[in-house]
Amino acid sequence: MRLIAMIFGAAVLAQAQNLIPAPARLVAGQGKFLITEKFHVAFSGYREPRLEAAAIRLVARLAKRTGLAIGRIPGAGNAPAALTIACEKAGARVQNVREGESYSLTVSPAGARLHAPNPLGILRGMETFLQLVDQDSEGFFAPAVNIEDTPRFPWRGLMIDVSRHFMPPEAIKRNLDAMAAVKLNVFHWHLSDDQGFRVESKLFPKLQGMGSDGLYYTQAQVREIVAYARSRGIRVVPEFDVPGHTSSWFPGYPELAATPGPYEIERDGGTACMDPARESTYRFLDKFIGEMAALFPDPYLHTGGDEVSAKQWDANPRIRAFKKRHGMKHSHELQAYFEKRLAAIVKKHGKRMMGWDEILQPGLAKNVVVQSWRGQKSLDEAARQGYLGILSHGYYLDLMLPASQHYAADPLGNGGASLTPEERTRILGGEACMWDELVTPENLDGRIWPRNAAIAERLWSPGTVTDVESMYRRLEILSRELERDGLTRVSGYRLMLERLAGGYALEPVKTLADIVEPVKEYKRMSTGRYTSFTPLNRLVDCARPESETARHFGKLVDRLTAGQASADEREALRTWLVRWRDNDARLKPALELELLKEAAPLSNDVAALAEAGLGALERIAAGKHDPEWAEGQSALVARAREPRAELLISIVPLIEKLIAAAR
Ligand code: ACM
């Protein structure tokens, strides 16, 4: 790995290699810095309340982690400090996309020094310092290192949809903490959609009043979250998705809609659309955006623009006549007209407009930023045409894909090579997207993390950092850290599984849940069975997008089939298989329960697959090839591959490998 320039102590280096995202440059030093009750933070340069608060949080996290009663108040001046913070000067009053985030961190047995030109760099370096901390028989320590770090892309975001399911402020805050831990710097807040309008408007109170079921953020809560994000070096970009995805605006303000109401909040996604052919629509948006522009300090304001259905436009004779008058043949020309008017409004209120890639139409103002979700091509196209852009295609967390797949997506990947150096600088970075049709505050954290950290690394670390095995190893370490710092990925999972167990033993439910995964992409949504009222409390809602257990088991299978498995590894394989084989009987009573009934065929097949796996192990151990037996397993494998209860059994391909090896 180029990243590790020099190697001294192997043990301490191991911890430095746990960093995620991997730093731009790391040189391992000699020895380690012991963390004791004497640990404290001091400032040797510029200081401000944001940095002092960050230092207090750092010490609190360290105290919780180590159990050491370390002092909470950052010291001043020249007192010898455990961690010295040397910040050169203040940052921007409102964080901006080009604000530097680089830092250097030197740890030696004598102490640590974190230096950065501005507070943002200090915040990033503090997270690195915390990730360095480990323990051995002598206690807690940070390994001696010299890190020079800077991000590859300036825009590294996470979008959370709070419309389809409302996410209370505490759910947002704990995710902001987790974002900060992996150096993400933009929280894109998808605040309105068909299923809910989630911000208090004082000018148009029927927006939240009739469009949210009472589930919205007050302006005071918005300010609090924006301040919370800023204190962690995270910008907040609000999105108000127009002109489509707007049903929730219309119960209160039906005059905005392209067809007459009355309207109710859509519970399963709609095709309602704003009327782009009436001046009153723009007057409304002008006032509304003015209000939101004052509420959200970020220079960018996202106005959506995706998936506009022209149905309502085409059905309205007045809109058809408007199109004709303006010489427009297609509805995308009408959307281009709308976006042009909107960009002028956003600009008038001192903001820069941003939208999904559908808005990339002739005539779009050049200062608009394009968010590419339908494919990477549109990002390259935007850059070629002179627009700034970010990538989200490849970073859709709702598709239930493995972290490795997201990790492989690169804002400068594929087509990036065909861009000129100048065009490439227009690609600002990327954003993971968490669409929440099938997500609630209970399973939100497990849907976002740890996969989102793989995306965070792609956006921060040098493009040469691509080792998938290393990424997965570090994700697991990070997951434990994030939980300790407040995420509910593990605790939420457990609570949901306990509900399913209905008073029976939790462990067999967890054994099954650990090796099933929700069906991929939009297979669940396309069943048509979901509305925003559907409880999301089934096994599929608990199950991880990517089974960690299956990945570990898969490694053992690979070792065995390559003839490299040790006796311990063979025993570990057997132990898993026996456990899965016997789990069905242990789960039987809970499988009678209403909520878990649908999992019975899965549990049954897991037992049969495990039995087949054990059969394969025996044959492999005996060096016996048994094509007839292997053939006999094919019906089971074919059945087990099929989704049931919207779940896939993640060990099927691994059992197939074992069977193939015994063939
Ligand atoms: C989108 O996924 N419709 C932006």
Side-chain angles (χ1 to χ4, degrees), residues 183-196:
K183 301 179 171 59
L184 290 173
N185 66 359
V186 182
F187 169 44
H188 168 169
W189 208 351
H190 185 80
L191 284 161
S192 73
D193 211 302
D194 291 311
Q195 296 86 339

Side-chain angles (χ1 to χ4, degrees), residues 88-148:
E88 287 176 20
K89 56 183 188 314
R93 197 182 51 78
V94 175
Q95 188 177 327
N96 68 65
V97 66
R98 296 291 185 189
E99 198 172 343
E101 298 171 278
S102 62
Y103 67 92
S104 59
L105 175 64
T106 307
V107 181
S108 75
R113 183 172 189 273
L114 173 57
H115 169 264
N118 63 2
L120 275 189
I122 297 292
L123 293 172
R124 305 295 174 245
M126 283 178 167
E127 297 295 339
T128 303
F129 178 78
L130 282 166
Q131 285 191 10
L132 281 173
V133 174
D134 196 9
Q135 62 179 319
D136 61 15
S137 57
E138 293 177 330
F140 286 91
F141 67 93
V145 282
N146 195 334
I147 291 170
E148 300 284 340

Side-chain angles (χ1 to χ4, degrees), residues 332-333 335-344 353 358-368 385 387:
H332 61 77
E333 292 167 281
Q335 186 179 352
Y337 168 87
F338 175 85
E339 303 296 350
K340 201 169 163 173
R341 300 276 316 259
L342 189 60
M353 186 169 119
E358 285 95 330
I359 66 168
L360 188 60
Q361 296 279 349
L364 182 69
K366 284 292 177 200
N367 72 336
V368 173
Q385 291 183 26
Y387 294 95

Side-chain angles (χ1 to χ4, degrees), residues 56-76:
I56 291 170
R57 285 199 306 274
L58 178 144
V59 170
R61 285 161 72 187
L62 203 54
K64 187 154 76 171
R65 167 102 191 263
T66 60
L68 296 167
I70 45 192
R72 297 294 167 87
I73 310 300

Side-chain angles (χ1 to χ4, degrees), residues 10 71 102 131 136 155 167 177 192 196 222 239 344 379 396-398 419 423 477 501 505-506 514 533 550 561 575 601:
S102 62
Q131 285 191 10
D136 61 15
W155 191 303
M167 300 296 164
D177 283 325
S192 73
V222 167
E239 179 186 350
L379 182 62
Y396 264 40
L397 296 169
D398 59 332
L419 299 176
E423 287 162 357
I477 297 164
L506 173 67
D514 281 349
F533 290 143
T561 52
T575 304

Side-chain angles (χ1 to χ4, degrees), residues 251-306:
Y253 301 93
E255 64 275 19
L256 292 172
T259 55
Y263 281 88
E264 287 183 10
I265 301 173
E266 282 287 345
R267 304 304 176 179
D268 53 1
T271 53
C273 201
M274 279 188 181
D275 187 340
R278 262 201 301 234
E279 276 310 301
S280 53
T281 301
Y282 301 101
R283 284 196 296 274
F284 183 102
L285 286 172
D286 185 14
K287 287 199 187 112
F288 173 74
I289 285 171
E291 184 185 15
M292 292 302 126
L295 180 61
F296 291 91
D298 199 81
Y300 292 78
L301 194 138
H302 201 301
T303 53
D306 58 317

